[in-house]
């Protein structure tokens, strides 16, 4: 199992109310969390935070990324534009586990408007504690090949 210690964390305004609870939870269970922020003065734009978190992960400044917006989808779409990022929206425990195990996701994306804070914390924990299964590597290589072509 790869040692996961450092997390890059970012949200938009839609996750403003839960962001500190989630961040403190992650620290309590032993992770170092670097907060790439959000703009607390009104509405902000999720791509601004998605790119910061994704760059931290692909440049190995963080082991995994955590992104939250209203649904997780905007964050995922934006983060996946960064080469090397595999940002998965996880809508339950199974998808959090399979994103790590089968898809080799390095970023989990969650929706503050589609889940409770305890569901979100639990999904992140499951994601971080699940190892990638090497038998899926040939598919990741094909994703990398697509990135090289475009
Ligand atoms: C912001 O209102 C909302 O659109 C955003 O948080 C996110 O859900 C987009 O995917």
């Amino acid at each position: 199992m790869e040692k996961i210690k450092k997390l890059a964390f970012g949200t938009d305004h839609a996750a403003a109310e839960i962001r500190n609870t989630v961040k403190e939870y992650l620290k309590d269970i032993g992770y170092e969390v670097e907060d790439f922020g959000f703009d607390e003065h009104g509405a902000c734009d999720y791509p601004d935070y998605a790119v910061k978190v994704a760059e931290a992960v692909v440049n190995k400044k963080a082991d995994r990324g955590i992104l939250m917006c209203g649904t997780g989808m905007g964050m995922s779409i934006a983060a996946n534009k960064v080469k090397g990022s595999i940002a998965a929206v996880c809508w339950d425990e199974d998808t959090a586990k399979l994103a790590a195990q089968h898809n080799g996701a390095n970023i989990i994306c969650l929706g503050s408007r589609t889940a409770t804070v305890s569901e979100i914390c639990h999904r992140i924990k499951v994601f971080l504690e699940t190892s990638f299964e090497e038998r899926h590597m040939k598919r990741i290589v094909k994703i990398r090949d697509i990135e090289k072509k475009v």
Side-chain angles (χ1 to χ4, degrees):
M1 170 91 192
E2 184 194 349
K3 182 86 186 116
I4 308 291
K5 184 76 186 158
K6 290 187 186 172
L7 305 178
F9 180 91
T11 77
D12 72 357
H13 58 282
E17 278 180 24
I18 63 163
R19 70 189 319 285
N20 286 336
T21 307
V22 176
K23 207 166 70 172
E24 290 313 310
Y25 169 77
L26 293 170
K27 288 182 188 170
D28 285 350
I29 61 171
Y31 294 100
E32 284 172 28
V33 183
E34 185 171 0
D35 189 350
F36 287 87
F38 81 120
D39 183 352
E40 26 188 312
H41 308 290
C44 57
D45 301 328
Y46 55 81
D48 297 342
Y49 308 98
V51 69
K52 288 180 187 170
V53 166
E55 284 180 346
V57 172
V58 303
N59 293 327
K60 303 202 181 305
K61 302 273 190 294
D63 302 314
R64 291 289 184 274
I66 316 294
L67 285 169
M68 297 190 293
C69 60
T71 59
M73 288 192 281
M75 286 295 195
S76 168
I77 292 164
N80 279 316
K81 300 297 178 194
V82 176
K83 197 179 270 191
S85 164
I86 302 179
V89 182
C90 297
W91 57 90
D92 59 14
E93 178 178 333
D94 284 348
T95 48
K97 185 172 185 158
L98 290 167
Q101 207 169 51
H102 287 206
N103 305 112
N106 48 19
I107 300 174
I108 184 170
C109 302
L110 300 142
S112 63
R113 294 173 180 160
T114 59
T116 65
V117 69
S118 69
E119 286 167 339
I120 285 174
C121 289
H122 181 65
R123 286 176 211 169
I124 297 173
K125 184 172 186 287
V126 168
F127 174 73
L128 296 173
E129 291 178 352
T130 303
S131 300
F132 178 62
E133 287 179 353
E134 278 302 316
R135 67 194 170 95
H136 296 283
M137 185 49 105
K138 66 177 186 167
R139 287 119 191 186
I140 308 300
V141 170
K142 289 189 177 188
I143 294 170
R144 298 284 168 254
D145 289 345
I146 297 168
E147 285 179 335
K148 280 180 206 152
K149 272 195 284 185
V150 295

